[in-house]
Amino acid sequence: MPATTSVETAPPGGGTPPPRARRGLSGRGGTALGLGSAVLYLSLIVLIPLAAVVWRSQERGIGYFWDAVTTPDAWAALTLTIGASFVVAVINLVMGTVIAWVLVRDRFPGKAVVDTLIDLPFALPTIVAGLVLLALYGPNSPLGLDLAYSRAGVVLALLFVTLPFVVRTVQPVLLELDADMEQAAASLGAGSLQIFRRIILPNLVPAMLSGTALAFARSMAEIGSVVLISGNLPFKTQVASVYIFGQIETDNPIGAAATSTVLLVVALVTLLALDLLQRWGSRRG
């Protein structure tokens, strides 16, 4: 019998097929290297520091942890921070969506400038933002509106630093929406409100929720923009981040770690709830 020889099929256009060993980093080796690098980086930057904070908060037991977070000043700071962050998140949910809609669907002079200014809170140091807000809405306000050393001033500062989150998550979704679906619905007699409720809104909800959750988590961690305009009045305008800083200064790192752990847990629960909502929404879709 004649010997059987293996013949490799040449690709169209001639040439020899590339050897299997030259598949680049898309094989198992490349995947393992990329995954290992990502896990190592996240561990060094995020997981290990967070674990250290949680461990430090439990250093003297759960009883000391509970006492540290339920002192009147700590509880007042946590209540104000979480409550103000919730209010800011709701306002961002509505107004961030409106701003994104205007930037995508409307045309007006200076639109490019407004679109650029949306990202200003990301680039501007937050302590500078606090100074600007104090100058505009402080005791010597040129607008005649004094919000300094009040909870309204805290909300205003948090609104400033969290402005881009909902806008920048909703805006790309609006840009990618198929206008033919809206035109088809309009040709079948659907009104503007019905088109928005049945076609546009279901596509926007995941992005709206993502931006809202990010704004909520960011608000709980803010210190730079609120430290000046709030006045840091205990039981009134002192947010949790300023309280934690004060505990560090008074040589109480365990109390600071305990309060930080509460904020961390609230942020994680918020993000996990958002993930569950998105998974539920994708299954229904």
Side-chain angles (χ1 to χ4, degrees):
M1 295 180 64
T4 303
T5 59
S6 60
V7 180
E8 293 184 349
T9 305
T16 58
R20 293 184 178 180
R22 296 181 180 178
R23 290 184 177 179
L25 297 178
S26 60
R28 293 182 179 178
T31 301
L33 178 62
L35 179 61
S37 300
V39 170
L40 177 61
Y41 182 80
L42 288 175
S43 299
L44 292 174
I45 301 299
V46 179
L47 299 180
I48 294 177
L50 293 181
V53 170
V54 175
W55 175 82
R56 189 66 186 275
S57 69
Q58 303 293 325
E59 191 171 306
R60 295 185 184 177
I62 190 65
Y64 186 88
F65 172 88
W66 180 252
D67 292 338
V69 299
T70 54
T71 58
D73 49 351
W75 189 254
L78 286 169
T79 303
L80 171 61
T81 301
I82 296 174
S85 298
F86 178 79
V87 172
V88 167
V90 173
I91 295 175
N92 271 306
L93 173 65
V94 177
M95 295 308 303
T97 304
V98 171
I99 294 173
W101 180 277
V102 170
L103 290 175
V104 173
R105 296 297 180 97
D106 296 340
R107 295 182 180 181
F108 54 91
K111 177 179 176 179
V113 176
V114 174
D115 191 44
T116 302
L117 290 177
I118 296 297
D119 294 324
L120 184 60
F122 283 152
L124 189 68
T126 54
I127 190 66
V128 177
L131 182 61
V132 172
L133 292 174
L134 184 62
L136 287 176
Y137 302 104
N140 300 317
S141 171
L143 305 177
L145 185 61
D146 185 5
L147 299 179
Y149 319 135
S150 67
R151 296 186 175 185
V154 173
V155 172
L156 177 66
L158 296 180
L159 284 172
F160 177 84
V161 298
T162 59
L163 171 65
F165 286 103
V166 175
V167 177
R168 291 312 187 205
T169 53
V170 172
Q171 196 173 5
V173 180
L174 280 172
L175 288 170
E176 294 176 0
L177 280 181
D178 189 1
D180 293 339
M181 296 176 60
E182 300 177 42
Q183 294 175 0
S187 66
L188 294 174
S192 299
L193 182 60
Q194 189 176 12
I195 292 174
F196 178 81
R197 185 169 57 89
R198 294 290 184 88
I199 297 177
I200 299 176
L201 187 59
N203 289 283
L204 296 184
V205 165
M208 292 166 61
L209 292 178
S210 296
T212 302
L214 291 174
F216 177 79
R218 179 68 179 84
S219 296
M220 290 195 300
E222 178 58 25
I223 183 173
S225 63
V226 299
V227 71
L228 295 178
I229 197 170
S230 69
N232 308 319
L233 304 177
F235 309 105
K236 185 179 179 182
T237 61
Q238 187 180 58
V239 296
S241 55
V242 177
Y243 172 79
I244 292 169
F245 181 74
Q247 293 301 295
I248 295 294
E249 284 191 322
T250 56
D251 197 24
N252 185 20
I254 298 179
T259 308
S260 302
T261 301
V262 174
L263 295 179
L264 173 62
V265 170
V266 173
L268 287 177
V269 169
T270 302
L271 296 177
L272 287 175
L274 170 65
D275 183 67
L276 291 176
L277 282 173
Q278 290 179 333
R279 291 175 184 270
W280 176 76
S282 63
R283 286 197 299 267
R284 290 196 60 180

